């Protein structure tokens, strides 16, 4: 009796494999700088002229210290030229080592975009001339936050005009008697027109005062009050 032939079976070949999930996450070396977190490209919300806007804008690592006199003098000049254009108004600012804080007003989101674009082009060209180079200056497009209440505006003004104490805590003792930062709109140069304009919205003229501390009120009022300067 002949035996029936069985169905042939496929032999399995076990080979050593490479790849797959690593047991340990590879750590970044100290010599490799961390990449800057970019602002998400989302549609900007509709903006009403009743609401001020808090803007933060960061520069690239190769840009020189913005609080140096040679850089700040150019930035201040750009503020003066672009402070009131296209329905955009620059009301307050502070310049830190590698970023800018602004409090602005705009007729709508389009006016905000046009005003910031014009201001960005001026600042980029001015800083590139100082550094003797060409190319991009700002790390990404600006981050904006609409301020909708007196409390938000008061907190934003305190944050912007006193931000240098957060980044440079060692300067707190030197500014103990006068907290006006010379690299902000709170500082007035003798005989010079301020590089900002007065706010028009209720929140930036009246509303913020109901929630601000006496210290913040004194600092903010310096930015636009004629004759109140420090020699």
């Amino acid at each position: 009796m002949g035996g029936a032939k069985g169905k042939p079976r496929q032999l399995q070949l076990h080979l050593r494999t490479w790849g797959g999930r690593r047991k340990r996450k590879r750590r970044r070396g100290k010599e490799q700088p961390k990449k800057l977190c970019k602002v998400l490209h989302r549609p900007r919300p509709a903006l009403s002229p009743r609401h001020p806007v808090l803007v933060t804008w960061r520069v690239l690592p190769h840009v020189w210290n913005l609080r140096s006199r040679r850089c700040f003098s150019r930035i201040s000049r750009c503020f003066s030229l672009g402070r009131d254009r296209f329905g955009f108004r620059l009301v307050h600012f502070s310049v830190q080592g590698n970023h800018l804080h602004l409090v602005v007003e705009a007729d709508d989101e389009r006016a905000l975009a046009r005003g910031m674009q014009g201001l960005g082009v001026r600042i980029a060209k001015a800083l590139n001339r100082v550094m003797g180079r060409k190319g991009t200056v700002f790390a990404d497009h600006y981050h904006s936050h609409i301020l909708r209440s007196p409390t938000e505006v008061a907190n934003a003004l305190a944050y912007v005009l006193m931000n240098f104490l957060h980044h440079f805590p060692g300067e707190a003792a030197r500014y103990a008697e006068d907290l006006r930062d010379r690299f902000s709109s709170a500082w007035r140069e003798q005989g010079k027109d301020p590089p900002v304009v007065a706010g028009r919205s209720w929140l930036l003229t009246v509303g913020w005062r109901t929630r601000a501390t006496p210290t913040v009120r004194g600092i903010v009022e310096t930015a636009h009050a004629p004759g109140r300067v420090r020699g």
Side-chain angles (χ1 to χ4, degrees):
M1 181 175 179
K5 293 183 179 180
K7 187 176 180 180
R9 294 185 302 173
Q10 177 69 42
L11 297 177
Q12 294 185 2
L13 183 62
H14 298 280
L15 297 176
R16 186 177 182 181
T17 59
W18 299 92
R21 186 174 182 179
R22 294 173 179 170
K23 294 181 180 180
R24 292 186 179 181
K25 184 177 180 180
R26 186 176 181 182
R27 303 183 66 179
R28 183 190 301 272
K30 293 183 179 180
E31 71 281 355
Q32 298 179 2
K34 294 177 67 176
K35 293 183 178 180
L36 294 173
C37 295
K38 292 189 175 183
V39 180
L40 298 178
H41 290 261
R42 294 175 177 173
R44 299 194 183 275
L47 177 62
S48 166
R50 298 183 295 109
H51 297 139
V53 183
L54 172 62
V55 176
T56 302
W57 218 351
R58 187 174 298 274
V59 298
L60 289 168
H62 72 266
V63 179
W64 294 352
N65 181 12
L66 301 182
R67 288 171 71 90
S68 64
R69 289 194 174 274
R70 54 186 172 183
C71 288
F72 178 75
S73 61
R74 272 73 173 187
I75 294 174
S76 181
R77 173 65 175 167
C78 293
F79 285 160
S80 296
L81 295 175
R83 61 188 172 182
D84 191 0
R85 292 173 58 85
F86 311 119
F88 166 91
R89 293 173 296 281
L90 174 62
V91 184
H92 292 286
F93 71 85
S94 72
V95 176
Q96 305 306 319
N98 63 353
H99 62 281
L100 310 173
H101 290 300
L102 314 175
V103 176
V104 304
E105 291 178 335
D107 293 344
D108 51 35
E109 60 273 16
R110 185 169 180 268
L112 175 64
R114 292 187 65 190
M116 289 299 299
Q117 181 181 23
L119 197 60
V121 170
R122 292 178 188 275
I123 293 175
K125 288 183 177 181
L127 292 180
N128 275 332
R129 283 195 294 269
V130 172
M131 298 185 295
R133 56 169 293 137
K134 297 180 179 180
T136 306
V137 167
F138 289 99
D140 198 11
H141 58 294
Y142 59 91
H143 175 270
S144 61
H145 175 71
I146 299 177
L147 307 173
R148 304 180 185 275
S149 69
T151 300
E152 273 196 303
V153 176
N155 291 341
L157 293 177
Y159 173 75
V160 169
L161 298 179
M162 302 178 69
N163 192 254
F164 73 106
L165 295 177
H166 170 73
H167 294 286
F168 309 99
E171 298 186 10
R174 192 172 67 175
Y175 288 86
E177 297 182 0
D178 190 345
L179 289 175
R180 288 179 294 169
D181 181 15
R182 64 172 60 247
F183 300 101
S184 76
S185 55
W187 187 271
R188 290 288 307 279
E189 293 290 342
Q190 184 74 37
K192 290 187 178 180
D193 188 33
V196 292
V197 296
R200 298 179 185 175
S201 63
W202 178 83
L203 286 172
L204 271 179
T205 55
V206 178
W208 70 273
R209 300 175 187 272
T210 64
R211 295 292 185 269
T213 64
T215 300
V216 174
R217 284 200 296 269
I219 294 174
V220 173
E221 289 169 356
T222 308
H224 304 288
R228 292 189 62 185
V229 295
R230 180 178 176 179

